[in-house]
Amino acid sequence: MSETSAANGPALPAPALDRLLGFLDAWVPKPAAWAFALRIWIAMMLALAAAFWLQLDSASSAATCVAILAQPKRGQAISKAVYRLLGTLIGAAVSIVFMALFGQDRVLLLVSFTTWLGLCVFTAQYLPDTRAYGAMLSGYTVAIIALGQIDEPQGTFDAAVSRVAVIVLGIIVITFINDALVSPSTWRTLLPQLRKAWDDTRAYARETLANGDLGASRTAALIRTIAPMRPDANAIAGELDDGPWRAAGARSCIAAFYVLAAAIRAVAAAAACLPTRSPAVEEALQICHRVTEDPDSETLERDDERLRALIDDAIRDGDRPLDEVVVLQRALDVVCAAAFAQDGMRAVADGHRPLRDATLPTHRDFPVALRGALRVAIGFAITAAAFVALGLPQASFALVQVAATAALSSTTPDPKKFANGVVIGMTLAATFAGIARFVFLDGVQGFPMLAIVMAPVIFFGCFLSLNPKTFGIGFIVIVFFPVLLGPSNPQSYDAQSFLLNAFLVVVAATILSIVVRLVLPTTRERQRVYALDSAQRALADALVGEGGDATTRTSLNADRLLQFAGYSSGSGAVRRASLSHAFALARLEAAAARAHAELRRLWAVEPLRDAIQRAGAGLAAGDDRVLETGARDLIRATSQQDRIVRLTTARAASDLVTAARTIARHRRFLRRLNIARF
């Protein structure tokens, strides 16, 4: 051992050092986290100072507004701020109406609010991202304004105006601070994610071409890498003047990833069914391989035109194998998806108008939304009845917290996990507020000391909120810490009032934790059943020609499959079989919807009508043999038509064949759904 090593003591074992470095990397906040926390602290203090200067009622609400709008990226904060303002305005208007109608009858006021809160929560279940937050906020804003004035109905209008004022102030402050301190732009952080997803999708395509269909589990894993980008894609719109085009480009790109994954699976499946591959099929597969190498737009354009020529030749021939037509058509879909993906990424980068603006709908199951709304309404009603019966002097304050936390939990992926976070976060917020008010402040009235005392708690909450595992705890801490601290001018130091408020918010959190477990709980098994029922109804509609736009359906099915994969439980074999059936339903639905759409376009060509009617009847009946015969008859009847009709027929025929193959492979499962004869 050298003298230097001996002087410094024994070296730390490598495994222990690795564990220490791993722990530090996991828990020590990164510079970006410190910057985010600093922005939020400055914004909260600026909002508080402005509220004091303007002598607004409940100045702490301005700081709370900033905390709720605390987002690490500018676009996310702007999007949330817009819908927070809209939700507040709607809630303020409804508060005034309710108080005017039921101000003299507390029971009717509570019943009307409970109904309104349930309706808002139900609506929020069907809205994506920050729109859901706005709908939910319009519900519990009525609690903040109307229930807060339940003993003084005449002050409702002033309370509504004050509430809107502090919200506007908080929005202005957080927007100013995000711009002044150069908050990260959403589009700049989304672009590398899109490029990585593009690389992952091309890698998936390469594996599929080399090894055949990779199966439902591998495809679900790819969807899990694509789906999280959807909220940021919508949030880009408000960041820049060309933000709507960048957002449209991101949505188009994400939709293209979904389509490419589905199309390359179809290419591999159809190619595997061919006993021998014709030169046209080999060329189509070579083009698909070229797509996986990320060719430029000019190459994609040439490949697009070449595939259209190959498809036209195949339809004009009239006697090519059906699976060859499927390979050629799906290869064309792969090229088109690659073109949209590249164009979308360029649109995000430079802000040009993309080739299209695809929608990315969110799948929601009606029973889940209804149960969530009823759970919130029933939980609030029970709590309100208990608090009123107990005659607590600050019952209205507690009811506001119950309404807010229950509504917030309703839109989270896991209400039980969020409820646990609320209990821990409320306890921490109450503890920190008590220490700050009665230990560090303790009679001090100066604003600088208030800002210094609040800083550690806000930083701590921000750090927790950036970790997905502790997000709920951190969010509750930074939102409810200023509520419980109640900064005012002059500052109040009533220990009895503070302890009662702290006790009530912890009780409210406990009530929420109990409600989400006992009142209409929605287990993963039940969610899986609801998702399957929803897919069954969508398939039934698609088979009779009511499936809607193909790209939209593909994106919606991807979201449904993502949720379904999260609900799956049991052994690995059971999960794989369940997921395979879910993908089969999605594939059959998309194929039926596209086929009907193309058949409707072809209806104007009179010589094709007999074949179109047979194909449509085959879809409605779920008869795979009729579908294959219909596809063959349609191709033969089209061979002498013009090029546009032949290309449209190729799309319809390939979807008919895809539907037939899916029905034949999953006949036993589909028969249990009792949609068609199958």
Side-chain angles (χ1 to χ4, degrees):
M1 181 181 293
S2 67
E3 294 181 3
T4 303
S5 299
N8 292 336
L12 195 65
L17 179 61
D18 291 340
R19 287 195 297 271
L20 176 61
L21 292 176
F23 175 82
L24 294 176
D25 183 67
W27 291 103
V28 175
K30 306 295 189 295
W34 285 96
F36 167 65
L38 179 63
R39 287 196 306 273
I40 300 307
W41 175 72
I42 292 175
M44 291 179 72
M45 296 308 100
L46 185 58
L48 267 179
F52 287 150
W53 182 67
L54 294 171
Q55 298 183 354
L56 296 177
D57 294 336
S58 184
S60 63
S61 295
T64 301
C65 175
V66 171
I68 291 176
L69 298 178
Q71 299 290 328
K73 302 168 190 172
R74 184 184 300 127
Q76 295 172 336
I78 292 174
S79 178
K80 196 171 185 179
V82 169
Y83 288 103
R84 180 167 178 77
L85 178 58
L86 290 175
T88 300
L89 292 173
I90 294 172
V94 172
S95 299
I96 295 171
V97 172
F98 280 1
M99 194 60 76
L101 294 175
F102 312 115
Q104 304 304 317
D105 191 325
R106 294 189 177 188
V107 174
L108 285 178
L109 179 61
L110 289 173
V111 170
S112 60
F113 167 71
T114 302
T115 304
W116 171 255
L117 182 63
L119 288 174
C120 290
V121 169
F122 179 80
T123 303
Q125 298 284 331
Y126 282 92
L127 297 176
D129 311 324
T130 51
R131 299 177 199 175
Y133 169 73
M136 178 187 59
L137 176 68
S138 65
Y140 71 78
T141 294
V142 178
I144 295 173
I145 297 174
L147 299 188
Q149 299 296 315
I150 196 169
D151 295 323
E152 299 178 0
Q154 67 275 10
T156 302
F157 181 80
D158 291 338
V161 172
S162 177
R163 178 68 183 173
V164 173
V166 295
I167 295 302
V168 171
L169 175 61
I171 290 172
I172 292 173
V173 168
I174 191 66
T175 303
F176 169 75
I177 292 299
N178 280 337
D179 288 339
L181 298 184
V182 196
S183 175
S185 297
T186 304
W187 73 269
R188 291 186 185 277
T189 56
L190 178 61
L191 188 57
Q193 297 177 41
L194 288 171
R195 288 171 175 161
K196 182 182 182 304
W198 174 231
D199 292 340
D200 292 343
T201 305
R202 289 187 295 112
Y204 172 87
R206 282 194 298 271
E207 291 180 46
T208 301
L209 291 172
N211 304 319
D213 190 357
L214 301 179
S217 298
R218 177 69 175 82
T219 308
L222 176 64
I223 292 175
R224 278 194 291 271
T225 67
I226 300 171
M229 298 184 292
R230 291 157 51 117
D232 282 354
N234 292 321
I236 296 175
E239 285 191 325
L240 301 167
D241 292 339
D242 56 10
W245 286 355
R246 293 178 191 264
R251 288 191 295 268
S252 176
C253 188
I254 292 170
F257 295 157
Y258 290 144
V259 172
L260 197 153
I264 203 67
R265 289 188 75 187
V267 168
C273 293
L274 289 169
T276 58
R277 296 177 179 177
S278 67
V281 169
E282 292 291 352
E283 185 175 356
L285 293 176
Q286 289 175 5
I287 290 174
C288 289
H289 278 288
R290 194 151 55 235
V291 168
T292 66
E293 298 170 0
D294 198 12
D296 56 41
S297 56
E298 292 182 359
T299 301
L300 287 176
E301 187 174 351
R302 289 195 301 270
D303 289 339
D304 180 285
E305 187 55 41
R306 178 56 184 161
L307 282 170
R308 290 179 191 275
L310 293 175
I311 293 170
D312 188 40
D313 291 341
I315 300 300
R316 190 163 47 195
D317 186 323
D319 289 322
R320 300 282 183 89
L322 291 176
D323 287 301
E324 179 173 331
V325 175
V326 174
V327 170
L328 298 177
Q329 180 59 51
R330 294 297 175 248
L332 177 60
D333 293 341
V334 168
V335 171
C336 290
F340 282 128
Q342 289 186 343
D343 172 71
M345 284 185 286
R346 288 195 301 270
V348 174
D350 59 27
H352 78 266
R353 186 170 187 172
L355 296 173
R356 65 173 182 180
D357 184 2
T359 57
L360 299 174
T362 302
H363 168 73
R364 291 292 182 266
D365 292 310
F366 177 83
V368 175
L370 182 61
R371 291 169 75 92
L374 289 175
R375 181 167 55 247
V376 170
I378 293 172
F380 178 81
I382 294 173
T383 306
F387 283 179
V388 169
L390 292 173
L392 295 175
Q394 291 162 285
S396 60
F397 172 79
L399 288 177
V400 170
Q401 312 316 316
V402 171
T405 53
L408 287 168
S409 71
S410 65
T411 57
T412 58
D414 190 343
K416 292 182 181 179
K417 182 178 179 180
F418 181 81
N420 293 336
V422 171
V423 173
I424 299 172
M426 282 292 194
T427 304
L428 290 175
T431 303
F432 292 152
I435 294 173
R437 183 187 287 194
F438 299 105
V439 176
F440 291 103
L441 293 177
D442 192 23
V444 176
Q445 298 292 340
F447 185 81
M449 186 62 181
L450 174 66
I452 293 172
V453 168
M454 291 182 68
V457 180
I458 295 171
F459 274 66
F460 175 71
C462 288
F463 294 152
L464 290 179
S465 69
L466 292 175
N467 188 331
K469 295 181 180 179
T470 58
F471 165 78
I473 299 173
F475 175 77
I476 293 298
V477 167
I478 61 175
V479 168
F480 285 92
F481 170 67
V483 172
L484 293 168
L485 181 62
S488 59
N489 189 15
Q491 181 67 47
S492 170
Y493 291 95
D494 184 351
Q496 182 178 358
S497 176
F498 170 81
L499 288 174
L500 183 55
N501 284 342
F503 170 74
L504 288 176
V505 297
V506 174
V507 168
T510 305
I511 290 173
L512 172 65
S513 180
I514 296 173
V515 165
V516 298
R517 286 169 170 79
L518 299 182
V519 180
L520 298 175
T522 306
T523 62
R524 289 183 177 271
E525 291 75 13
R526 192 179 295 273
Q527 288 176 314
R528 190 164 61 247
V529 171
Y530 290 150
L532 185 61
D533 289 343
S534 176
Q536 178 179 341
R537 290 191 298 272
L539 175 57
D541 290 340
L543 289 172
V544 296
E546 299 176 2
D549 175 70
T551 301
T552 301
R553 298 305 306 176
T554 300
S555 299
L556 183 62
N557 282 329
D559 190 59
R560 180 190 289 134
L561 290 166
L562 176 69
Q563 295 180 34
F564 189 86
Y567 304 150
S568 297
S569 59
S571 66
V574 172
R575 285 198 304 270
R576 286 192 296 271
S578 178
L579 198 56
S580 176
H581 290 325
F583 269 92
L585 288 178
R587 184 165 56 251
L588 180 54
E589 179 202 342
R594 286 194 304 262
H596 274 294
E598 301 303 335
L599 292 176
R600 282 193 289 270
R601 293 189 182 96
L602 292 171
W603 184 256
V605 185
E606 190 170 349
L608 305 183
R609 289 184 179 178
D610 288 342
I612 291 172
Q613 287 179 333
R614 288 193 295 273
L619 284 170
D623 191 325
D624 57 310
R625 295 179 181 178
V626 173
L627 287 174
E628 289 203 29
T629 302
R632 172 62 65 197
D633 292 344
L634 194 61
I635 290 173
R636 288 172 178 168
T638 310
S639 60
Q640 302 303 316
Q641 300 296 324
D642 60 54
R643 188 172 191 262
I644 294 177
V645 174
R646 289 195 295 270
L647 292 177
T648 304
T649 298
R651 291 194 294 270
S654 61
D655 286 316
L656 292 172
V657 174
T658 299
R661 297 283 192 270
T662 305
I663 292 170
R665 182 177 179 183
H666 298 273
R667 188 187 308 278
R668 182 178 300 177
F669 168 71
L670 293 170
R671 190 172 291 159
R672 293 203 303 267
L673 299 181
N674 197 30
I675 299 174
R677 290 197 302 270
F678 292 116

